Amino acid sequence: MYKFAVKYLKNTFYPLEVPETIKIQDGQMVLVRTEKGEEALKACLINSKIAKIWEKHKTEPFHVIRVLSQRDLQTIEDIKKEEVTAFFKCKALVQQHKLNMNLVQCRITFDRRKITFYYTAPERVDFRALLKDLTQTFTRVRIDLRHIGVRDETSIMEGCGVCGKEFCCCSYLRKFGTINVKLAKDQGMPIAPGKISGTCGRLLCCLTYEYSNYIDAAKGMPPIGSSVMTPDGLGKVCNLHFMCGKVSVKMEDGKTKEFAKGDIEMVDADVNVEIDVPVMNTYADDSEGIDIRQLEDDRNSSTGNV
């Protein structure tokens, strides 16, 4: 049964297969063999329940090569510096070849046998000439140019969202669901890019979290602008409060009152009341000059190629 795990790309945990000749402790840096090559990662102790789940689902473990020494830790620092240098060298070559691609990150394996450049691009890029120059610049190393989506970019760069917490995509979210503006409209949110989009420039992933609750709460709600009979008389619906199950109604005397959705009834009557359409569900921030459709998912949003 597995006792240790490591946190790898996008904060995904993988079990460790530790040889009997190697003794490791919680928090130690170890050298493991991954599909990308040898990587230096921190081992952490896991509980038996997690281990049983991995055993049940036959999760592929990472093999521990050895525990890192103090000299190895210095090597890690040297590699980080090399990654920065390699990043800017590659960026200069991208500009030289005038390629429409945005270099995101550079990663070098611990054994220095592979260097990976992550990039985003609005369309397919012919980087054959770039790859030829890179092989001449970085000799005796395997070069991998990997195209990722803008959501993938945010997930590997990490950061904090508007909620103040770590991005969902780089903490626990493994797959990106399809998100469209309808999700925001149905929840009564102002349709403004600054309010409903994340750092990646796409709609917030959290728009899907409570959507089903809003749909359930909206059942039995009359549409805005419909005529209704209330305990206090006729009026027109001017606003909906999904979560508390209440409806704001503008009465014939001009006053606005709130009623539980079960206390009102839609009627086929012409109520002489003018209502102001709420700011919600309308494009509320024209100053940004952004087509709201650009916030929705497209083929460049996520590739899963991390």
Side-chain angles (χ1 to χ4, degrees):
M1 186 177 292
Y2 303 118
K3 293 184 178 180
F4 293 91
V6 288
K7 188 166 64 174
Y8 197 39
L9 293 175
K10 295 180 68 173
N11 280 346
T12 304
F13 284 87
Y14 291 86
L16 282 181
E17 184 180 53
V18 185
E20 294 181 359
T21 54
I22 299 177
K23 303 297 180 183
I24 61 177
Q25 297 178 352
D26 184 33
Q28 271 191 319
M29 294 294 292
V30 294
L31 187 63
V32 300
R33 186 173 291 110
T34 72
E35 59 181 10
K36 298 180 184 297
E38 295 180 1
E39 301 274 9
L41 302 170
K42 182 184 289 187
C44 59
L45 197 62
I46 59 172
N47 62 46
S48 57
K49 291 183 179 180
I50 298 296
K52 287 179 180 178
I53 293 174
W54 279 338
E55 290 280 357
K56 181 180 178 180
H57 294 281
K58 297 181 179 180
T59 305
E60 193 68 27
F62 286 165
H63 179 76
V64 176
I65 300 173
R66 58 183 170 83
V67 176
L68 297 187
S69 64
Q70 197 63 38
R71 184 175 180 179
D72 291 326
L73 298 180
Q74 181 58 50
T75 300
I76 295 174
E77 294 301 316
D78 294 339
I79 289 175
K80 288 180 180 179
K81 294 177 182 178
E82 291 173 15
E83 288 174 339
V84 174
T85 302
F87 177 88
F88 286 105
K89 283 184 178 180
C90 182
K91 191 171 184 178
L93 289 172
V94 169
Q95 294 174 346
Q96 180 181 322
H97 289 281
K98 298 180 180 179
L99 297 175
N100 187 19
M101 56 189 288
N102 173 47
L103 200 62
V104 174
Q105 194 179 69
C106 168
R107 283 183 175 168
I108 301 175
T109 57
F110 184 83
D111 55 12
R112 290 187 171 94
R113 292 182 179 179
K114 183 178 180 181
I115 180 169
T116 304
F117 294 101
Y118 293 98
Y119 72 92
T120 60
E123 55 191 16
R124 187 178 180 87
V125 179
D126 183 0
F127 52 69
R128 286 175 294 182
L130 170 64
L131 186 59
K132 183 179 179 180
D133 286 348
L134 287 173
T135 54
Q136 293 176 350
T137 304
F138 305 100
T139 57
R140 297 179 181 179
V141 62
R142 181 184 171 190
I143 297 172
D144 184 11
L145 283 165
R146 188 156 294 207
H147 176 236
I148 60 174
V150 290
R151 287 191 184 276
D152 300 316
E153 174 186 3
T154 305
S155 70
I156 65 174
M157 295 301 288
E158 303 183 0
C160 291
V162 292
C163 59
K165 294 185 177 181
E166 188 178 22
F167 290 147
C168 297
C169 59
C170 65
S171 54
Y172 71 91
L173 197 63
R174 296 291 168 257
K175 294 182 179 179
F176 295 106
T178 301
I179 306 175
N180 53 53
V181 177
K182 184 178 183 296
L183 295 176
K185 288 183 177 180
D186 289 348
Q187 295 176 69
M189 298 185 68
I191 309 304
K195 300 291 185 181
I196 60 175
S197 63
T199 305
C200 59
R202 296 295 188 270
L203 294 171
L204 292 165
C205 292
C206 52
L207 287 176
T208 63
Y209 298 168
E210 298 179 356
Y211 183 68
S212 59
N213 294 336
Y214 275 90
I215 295 302
D216 290 339
K219 292 178 180 178
M221 288 280 196
I224 291 178
S226 59
S227 300
V228 293
M229 175 60 75
T230 74
D232 295 344
L234 287 170
K236 273 190 178 181
V237 177
C238 60
N239 212 338
L240 304 175
H241 308 283
F242 298 114
M243 291 295 99
C244 61
K246 293 186 177 181
V247 180
S248 293
V249 180
K250 191 171 184 179
M251 312 303 293
E252 291 182 304
D253 60 4
K255 295 181 179 179
T256 300
K257 297 182 180 180
E258 284 189 3
F259 301 93
K261 65 180 180 180
D263 294 339
I264 63 175
E265 183 180 352
M266 290 181 62
V267 294
D268 186 13
D270 186 14
V271 181
N272 188 23
V273 173
E274 291 186 3
I275 62 171
D276 296 324
V277 178
V279 177
M280 304 298 184
N281 295 341
T282 59
Y283 187 77
D285 200 349
D286 294 326
S287 61
E288 294 190 40
I290 299 176
D291 183 353
I292 202 70
R293 290 172 298 180
Q294 294 179 2
L295 304 179
E296 296 184 338
D297 286 336
D298 57 22
R299 61 189 180 89
N300 289 313
S301 295
S302 175
T303 64
N305 198 24
V306 179

